[in-house]
Amino acid sequence: MTAGLDHLAIAPVLVPFFAGALMLLYDDRRRRAKLLISLGAALLLLVIAIELLIRAKGSALSGGNDIGFYLLGDWAMPFGIVLVIDRLSAMMLVLTALLAIPALIYAAAGWHRQGQHFHSLFQFLLMGLNGAFLTGDLFNLFVFFEVLLAASYGLLLHGSGQLRVRAGLHYIAVNLTASLLFLIGVSLIYGVTGTLNMAQLSTMVPLLPDSERPLFHAGAAILGLAFLIKAGIWPLSFWLPTAYMAGAAPVAAMFAIMTKVGVYVILRLSMLMFGAGAGASAGFGGPVLIAGGMATVVFGFLGVLSAQGLGRMAAHLVLVSSGTVLAVTGFALAGGGPEMLGGALFYLVGSTLATSALFLLLEPMSREEGGIAALLALTADAYGLDEREEDSQPETGLAIPGTLTVLGLSFGICMIVLAGLPPLPGFIGKVAILQGVMANPEVPQALGWPFVALLLVSGLATMIGLVRIGIQTFWASDGVVPRVLALEIAPVLVLCGMILLLTIKADETLRYMRMTAAALYRPAIYAEGVLNAPRVEDAARAAAAAAQQMPAPAEPQADPTDAEGPQ
């Protein structure tokens, strides 16, 4: 894509924006109409995201590394606002849409009735997520970051209750602090470079004078800290487990990708500004990401082992996933190859799908008397939290047959993925990461082998924790079968189906991820594609000039024999 994307690139932002605004005009009693609009918008987002991903794959002639762009207002670069489509952003758009659809279907079981404007807030959350993945400058990244945070505040408090209010206040305070750090970091970067365009920053970092580089590094560190808070890096992850387990099931399922926004921004900016071609700034922040990511994995699996409820355990598994990808990002800055980073991206997709499904399984599994419900009550007493009673009751509907079998199989698939057991995506992603560590001599072996051991130990700890919960739920119960609605189990089955499809298509998907990682190692592709983006007016003028320079077609000459007439 060496040209613009017409208007398709802005559709992932405009579709949820107009859908959410439209539903604000509907009375809250018209929930069915709101649900249909919201589902329709999510399905349309999935179609658009898949089309953008197909375009982002590029052609064989370009090596699959083409960059698509969209100039808002048709302002020339680097002064205008630009949306950028590459392989990484397109992948994140597809993953967001794949999580949104099951979450909305699950919400139809009664969760959207617990508060006002659920579907509008959900669409505004999608708008913020998609905008954060698409934007090509730091200022608009802040705008979309605030949009998704504002929507997440309302969604976390959806359904009220003391637990949600308490967790919500902590969540809001922490994220407002992160927003303040974001502004400080952006201000410092702009003061040094005079631009916030990511592509232009990647070309300016190697040329910075030594007198200005420390201030630029300070701004980048403060900006990175804001997104590391969002990614849940230790020790800044104290707020995340309580906040995620407090949210309603469909909200928590979408929150599984919220930490990945922080991971995405850290990965994007690190590879653009601090890659091998960044001069004196090459590798900046890499050791911090390695140490912080590994500490986050340790904190995550210790939380899994100590958790007495599935909600808190699932929240800590989000931290394990986030910490793994952050550590691999640090290794990428330290010399790790595309194979290792490609495996991490594959692991990111599989683990996000599994944790989202696990959050949806939380409520159906907690209804079985004598099983996990007792453990949830114990967790509430230990942490001084209130149990969710009235607000967790679903609408009356059709219950599915073979409830325990379906729940058990779905739980087993999630456990296998998150523990990294064969043959599901968790195992494939971890094997690809381990191969990248051991096969690349540039990876610091003093950190590489401890990371390998940590991945194996975290998988074992995850398996122990989830097996304990599974035994308590499905084997140690008194035989009472919980009533689970089809609208609640169908989204879980959809997510499990995606996991199985990812396993079947593992070779093609892993190849895509490795090519994505290879493109990230070549920031010049991103920078040249964006900075050379022509305006629509300029492109039309160039086309008209080219048409004028083309020689006019020669007029056919008459045959001289025709002029003489018959002889």
Side-chain angles (χ1 to χ4, degrees):
M1 290 178 293
T2 56
L5 290 174
D6 299 325
H7 299 292
L8 189 63
I10 200 173
V13 176
L14 292 183
V15 169
F17 171 75
F18 284 115
L22 176 63
M23 289 185 289
L24 290 176
L25 304 177
Y26 282 75
D27 186 85
D28 199 52
R29 291 171 294 183
R30 302 183 64 181
R31 297 187 184 92
R32 188 178 298 274
K34 289 186 175 184
L35 175 63
L36 292 177
I37 293 174
S38 193
L39 269 176
L43 289 170
L44 181 58
L45 282 178
L46 179 59
V47 174
I48 294 170
I50 292 175
E51 174 62 23
L52 290 175
L53 183 139
I54 293 173
R55 297 190 185 189
K57 290 173 66 176
S59 62
L61 295 177
S62 64
N65 292 325
D66 289 339
I67 298 294
F69 54 85
Y70 183 82
L71 302 177
L72 278 76
D74 200 25
W75 286 86
M77 285 291 94
F79 308 105
I81 299 173
V82 61
L83 301 181
V84 184
I85 288 289
D86 65 349
R87 301 173 70 91
L88 179 61
S89 58
M91 179 196 77
M92 298 305 294
L93 290 178
V94 173
L95 180 60
T96 302
L98 290 176
L99 294 181
I101 295 173
L104 285 172
I105 296 174
Y106 193 97
W111 297 94
H112 62 152
R113 299 175 64 244
Q114 298 175 10
Q116 295 183 345
H117 306 305
F118 172 85
H119 289 292
S120 292
L121 290 171
F122 196 95
Q123 292 298 319
F124 293 144
L125 176 67
L126 293 180
M127 172 190 170
L129 288 169
N130 292 339
F133 295 138
L134 286 173
T135 186
D137 65 274
L138 295 180
F139 177 79
N140 288 283
L141 178 62
F142 175 77
V143 173
F144 288 119
F145 186 65
E146 291 303 306
V147 169
L148 70 91
L149 285 181
S152 67
Y153 298 155
L155 289 174
L156 180 58
L157 296 173
H158 182 75
S160 67
Q162 182 180 353
L163 169 60
R164 290 190 181 126
V165 171
R166 185 182 304 172
L169 290 176
H170 293 164
Y171 178 80
I172 292 172
V174 169
N175 283 280
L176 287 178
T177 303
S179 298
L180 177 61
L181 294 173
F182 192 126
L183 287 176
I184 295 173
V186 165
S187 300
L188 291 174
I189 291 174
Y190 184 78
V192 173
T193 63
T195 184
L196 294 177
N197 185 278
M198 296 180 188
Q200 191 176 22
L201 283 172
S202 69
T203 62
M204 294 181 66
V205 171
L207 306 177
L208 284 176
D210 293 338
S211 60
E212 296 181 355
R213 197 174 297 273
L215 187 59
F216 176 79
H217 285 177
I222 296 174
L223 177 64
L225 183 62
F227 285 101
L228 288 176
I229 291 175
K230 193 62 194 171
I233 195 169
W234 185 87
L236 305 175
S237 55
F238 60 91
W239 57 274
L240 190 145
T242 302
Y244 278 38
M245 68 170 288
V251 174
M254 279 306 298
F255 277 18
I257 199 173
M258 292 280 283
T259 55
K260 303 309 183 291
V261 176
V263 173
Y264 167 85
V265 175
I266 293 295
L267 175 60
R268 170 73 74 191
L269 296 182
S270 296
M271 301 305 292
L272 275 178
M273 297 192 297
F274 305 118
S281 296
F284 176 76
V288 175
L289 291 177
I290 294 173
M294 293 174 67
T296 305
V297 173
V298 173
F299 177 76
F301 78 69
L302 290 179
V304 169
L305 291 175
S306 62
Q308 298 298 313
L310 184 58
R312 187 168 292 273
M313 187 176 294
H316 280 94
L317 288 171
V318 171
L319 294 178
V320 173
S321 171
S322 179
T324 301
V325 182
L326 286 175
V328 173
T329 302
F331 279 110
L333 293 176
E339 295 78 10
M340 185 179 184
L341 186 55
L345 294 176
F346 187 91
Y347 170 79
L348 181 149
V349 174
S351 62
T352 303
L353 291 173
T355 50
S356 182
L358 207 57
F359 278 118
L360 294 183
L361 282 170
L362 171 61
E363 290 297 332
M365 290 176 61
S366 67
R367 292 180 198 144
E368 187 174 5
E369 298 179 2
I372 192 67
L375 293 179
L376 291 174
L378 177 60
T379 303
D381 292 337
Y383 289 92
L385 306 177
D386 291 341
E387 293 184 71
R388 288 169 285 178
E389 297 175 353
E390 296 180 358
D391 57 2
S392 64
Q393 297 301 322
E395 289 181 335
T396 303
L398 178 65
I400 62 170
T403 301
L404 288 180
T405 302
V406 175
L407 289 177
L409 289 176
S410 302
F411 180 80
I413 290 175
C414 295
M415 181 191 70
I416 292 174
V417 173
L418 296 171
L421 298 177
L424 297 185
F427 172 77
I428 299 172
K430 286 190 175 183
V431 167
I433 294 173
L434 298 180
Q435 287 178 342
V437 173
M438 294 183 289
N440 192 340
E442 296 185 9
V443 174
Q445 296 303 311
L447 294 174
W449 286 107
F451 180 65
V452 169
L454 187 60
L455 282 184
L456 299 177
V457 172
S458 66
L460 177 62
T462 300
M463 184 179 65
I464 292 173
L466 290 177
V467 165
R468 173 166 52 86
I469 293 293
I471 291 174
Q472 290 288 340
T473 303
F474 301 110
W475 290 355
S477 64
D478 57 3
V480 177
V481 178
R483 179 178 177 83
V484 180
L485 305 184
L487 285 175
E488 293 176 312
I489 200 61
V492 179
L493 296 179
V494 169
L495 290 172
C496 292
M498 295 177 191
I499 292 172
L500 296 178
L501 181 62
L502 188 62
T503 306
I504 296 172
K505 298 292 184 178
D507 186 54
E508 299 175 14
T509 308
L510 192 57
R511 187 183 307 116
Y512 178 92
M513 299 303 182
R514 285 174 173 167
M515 292 184 68
T516 302
L520 291 174
Y521 274 86
R522 300 170 62 190
I525 297 175
Y526 183 97
E528 292 174 4
V530 174
L531 295 178
N532 296 331
R535 300 168 57 202
V536 174
E537 180 181 350
D538 294 340
R541 189 179 302 161
Q548 292 178 357
Q549 294 176 0
M550 292 180 60
E555 296 182 358
Q557 297 181 355
D559 190 343
T561 58
D562 294 340
E564 296 177 358
Q567 298 294 324

